[in-house]
Amino acid sequence: MLKIAKDKLPQLLQAWAAGARVFVPQEKDGTRVFLPWDGQGKLTLDEGNTLEPPKDLFFPRTETMYRYQVQGQEAGVTEVPPFDAKMVLVGVRSCDARSFAIMDDVFLTKGYVDEFYRRRRENTRVVALACTEAAPTCFCTTFGIDPGRAEGVDVQMWPLADGYLLEVVTEAGQELLEQGTGLLTDAGKEEIPAAAKPGLVVDIDGVTAKLQRMFEHPYWTAVSRKCLGCGACTYLCPTCHCFDIQGENRGNSGYKFRCWDSCMFSEYTRMAGGHNPRPSKKERLRNRFLHKLQYFPERYGKFACVGCGRCLDRCPVNVDITRVIREVKEVTL
Amino acid sequence: MSSLQEQMRARARELLTQGAVQMVIGWEKGTFWYLSPPAFITEPGECDRLVWDEFCTNNLAKYLLDYKHTGDKIALFVKGCDARGIVRLLQDNQIARERVYLIGIKCPGVKDGRQAAALGEERRGEVSPAEKCRFCTHPEPVIYDELLQEDGGEAIREAAAAAEGRFAEVERVEAMSPDERYAFWTAAYDRCLRCYACRNICPACNCRECIFDRSQSGWCGKQMNRSENMFFAITRAMHVAGRCIECGECERVCPEGIPIMTLNKKIIKDLNELFGEYEAGVDLEARLPLGQYKLDDPEEFH
Ligand code: SF4
Ligand code: SF4
Ligand code: SF4
Ligand code: SF4
Ligand code: SF4
C-alpha cells in the first residue's frame, strides 16, 4: 500500500500526462466533469460523483465513422485513423467502474466487437477512488457494488485527510505507480477508511420477473404522466448506450457519424413511413425502465443500472428509479 | 382559515367527486424534502397527495398539451407564472378555455431547490427565492376560475415587484467584447447535451412538430458539436421570442446549468426597445410583438 500527499497529486497526474491523456474530475463553469488534465485546472476529486459520467471517453457524444467521396463514376471510402492515444482516467467511483463492465458487454460481447469502443477502452487505464461519503441520491449497494472498492480497475485509491492511499490491482496499475516514484511513500500503518453507506437502498429481488408480466400494466400510464420526455436521464446515465448513425453530405463528399440517441425521444422509434411504435411518453419511459431492469438482465445477466443517482439528481420532475422499482414490486397484476 | 394546502386538497376532492373535472394537476412531495414534482390526480381518494410548499416550482401549464386530444376537463393549480403559461397556450389556440378549470394561488414565491439540496434540511429557512421570483411582476394569477384565499407572501411579492436588475446579467454580457461574448456562449453551449428538457418544459414551445425532432430535414443535425449546439441555442431562443413568459423553467430544468434565461432576457430586452414594452402571457387579447405587422415597425435588429 502506498500513499501520496494531497499537494503532490498534481505532480503525479503530470507524470502520467507525459505519456497519456489524463482525465480527472475538475470544475468548469460551475459543473464537475472529467476533463483533460493540463496542470492548471481546479481538481475536484473529493466531491463525490461527477455531473456527467465518464462514458463519453469510450463512447463519444459524436464521432466520425468514415468519410466518402464520389468523382464521376468512382466512389471511395476513407477510414478514419484508428484511435491510438493512451488515456488514464483518474477518480472513477465504484458505480462508474461497474458501468464500464456493462458497456463492455454491449460493445464487446455476443459476437460483435465495436472497434471504435474497443480501441478507446483498451487504451485506457482506470484509477478508482473509493467513496467514504455517499450523496443522498446514491444507491450503488442495491446492485451489490462496494463504494469502498471498485471492480475491474488498475489502481484503487482511498481518500485520507491529507492525501490518498493507493493500491495496485493490475500490472498496468503497477506501471502507473512506478511512474510516481519519488512522489509516493509507503503507507505504513495508515488504515483504509471505511466505505460510504448509502442511505438509499431498494430491494431489487424479483423485479425482473415481475416486469416480465407488466408490459401492458396501467402503471406505466400513471408513472409517465409527469415525464417530460427529455433526454436528461439517459444522457447522464453511465450505462445508457443508444446511438444513431447519420450522414453529413456536402456535394460529392461527406461523412458518416454516430452520436448519442435517447429512447425518450419521439424520433428514436419513428419509422420511415411516419409510424411510431412508441407513440407516447408512456411507451418510452416504460422502455427505459424495462431496458435497465428486464431486457438487460435477460440478455447479460446483470442490471443496467449502477445506482449512481444521476438521473434522480437531475430529472426535472423527480422521476425516481428507486421509487419505480419499489412500486413495480407493489402493484397488483 | 385552513391552510392553502388543505384548501387545495378539499377543492380537488370536490371537483373530482362532482365529476366537474376528470383530472387535477398539482404538486406532491417527491423523493427529497426539496422536491415537489407535478402530481396527476384522478381519484377523489388520492387528493391528500397534493402539497403546497416553497418547492412547488414546476410550471404545470405545458402538461395540458398531453391531454389536448382527449375530451377530459382538467383542473390545474396556477401560480402567477403558471397562469401566464396558460394564457400563452390559449393565445396559440393550443387548448380550449372551457377544457380547463383554473384554481389560482396568490403566490408567495418559491425557493431554489438546487441550493436547498446543497444547504441541507437544517438550513431550510435560509434557502433563497428562485431566481424567477425575484423579478416576478404577476405573482397573482392573471387568469383563473377561482382564487384560493391565502396569502403569506406580501413582503416577497412587493420586493419582487420593485426589484432592480431584471436585465443585469444581460447587460453584463452585452458589455463584453464580441470575442468575449463568443467565448461565453460557446463555453455554455459546448456543455449542452441536447436533451431538450428546456424545450419540453416550456409553455411557449408548443409546435406540434419541432424542428429539433426532424434531424433528417437537415436543418439542425444531430451531432453534438459547437455548430449544431449553437444553432439549436439560437433557434430555440428565437422561437420563443415575444412568447417567453419568464417562468425560468428552461433554466431550472437544464441539467448542465446553462444560463438560458440570459438569452431569453436579451431578446425580451431587445423587443421592448424595438417594439415597446410588452409582457408575454399577461393580456389574452394583446397582439404579440412578433405576431403582428405595423408599417412603422423598426427594421434594425441587433
Ligand atoms: S424521466 Fe425525467 S429526465 Fe428522463 S425523460 Fe422523463 S423528465 Fe426527462
Ligand atoms: S439509471 Fe440512473 S441511477 Fe441508474 S445508472 Fe443510470 S443514471 Fe445512474
Ligand atoms: S453511488 Fe456509490 S460508488 Fe457511486 S458515488 Fe455514490 S457512494 Fe460512490
Ligand atoms: S423560454 Fe424558459 S422562461 Fe421562457 S416561457 Fe419557456 S421555459 Fe419559461
Ligand atoms: S436543457 Fe440544457 S442541456 Fe438540455 S438541451 Fe436545453 S440547454 Fe441543452
Side-chain angles (χ1 to χ4, degrees), chain A residues 151 215 304:
Chain A
E151 309 156 14
F215 194 77

Side-chain angles (χ1 to χ4, degrees), chain A residues 29 52 61-62 225-226 228-229 231 235 244 246 248 255 261 267 270 281 313-314 316-318 320, chain B residues 23 30-31 37 58 63 66-67 114 191-193 195 200 213-215 222-224 252-253 255-256:
Chain A
D29 301 321
E52 294 171 17
R61 293 182 186 196
T62 298
R225 283 208 162 106
K226 66 178 174 178
L228 299 174
Y235 284 166
D244 191 10
Q246 292 197 357
E248 270 290 316
Y255 59 93
D261 204 348
E267 204 185 21
R270 188 166 49 217
K281 57 192 183 184
D313 178 43
R314 293 284 150 164
V317 293
N318 187 217
D320 169 357
Chain B
M23 182 190 280
T31 309
N58 215 299
Y63 286 112
D66 290 341
Y67 304 95
R114 204 149 276 293
R191 297 205 302 278
C192 175
L193 295 165
C195 71
N200 292 8
D213 290 334
R214 280 287 185 204
S215 58
K222 235 170 158 171
Q223 293 182 86
M224 299 177 191
R252 177 184 71 86
V253 302
E256 291 282 342

Side-chain angles (χ1 to χ4, degrees), chain B residues 11-128:
Chain B
R11 281 306 285 144
R13 205 174 296 118
E14 281 161 20
L15 289 164
L16 285 168
T17 312
Q18 292 159 1
V21 300
Q22 281 71 52
M23 182 190 280
V24 177
I25 310 182
W27 303 270
E28 67 185 333
K29 218 48 218 158
T31 309
F32 304 111
W33 62 276
Y34 52 84
L35 296 174
S36 302
F40 300 74
I41 314 276
T42 50
E43 300 296 329
E46 296 262 290
C47 290
D48 284 349
R49 275 169 51 200
L50 290 169
V51 300
W52 171 258
D53 66 16
E54 72 270 43
F55 301 111
C56 293
T57 313
N58 215 299
N59 188 331
L60 305 173
K62 183 69 175 276
Y63 286 112
L64 288 175
L65 297 189
D66 290 341
Y67 304 95
K68 198 165 148 177
H69 301 296
T70 68
D72 293 354
K73 181 152 182 164
I74 296 172
L76 202 77
F77 290 99
V78 286
K79 308 184 295 294
C81 46
D82 301 340
R84 289 175 64 181
I86 302 283
V87 170
R88 277 294 326 117
L89 298 180
L90 291 171
Q91 279 180 323
D92 287 353
N93 291 320
Q94 289 296 315
I95 189 123
R97 178 67 181 87
E98 59 276 10
R99 291 265 322 279
V100 278
Y101 186 81
L102 302 171
I103 309 170
I105 293 168
K106 293 179 179 177
C107 179
V110 291
K111 297 276 173 77
D112 180 341
R114 204 149 276 293
Q115 189 202 33
L119 282 177
E121 192 164 10
E122 317 75 59
R123 299 173 65 189
R124 185 165 182 161
E126 294 168 39
V127 183
S128 328

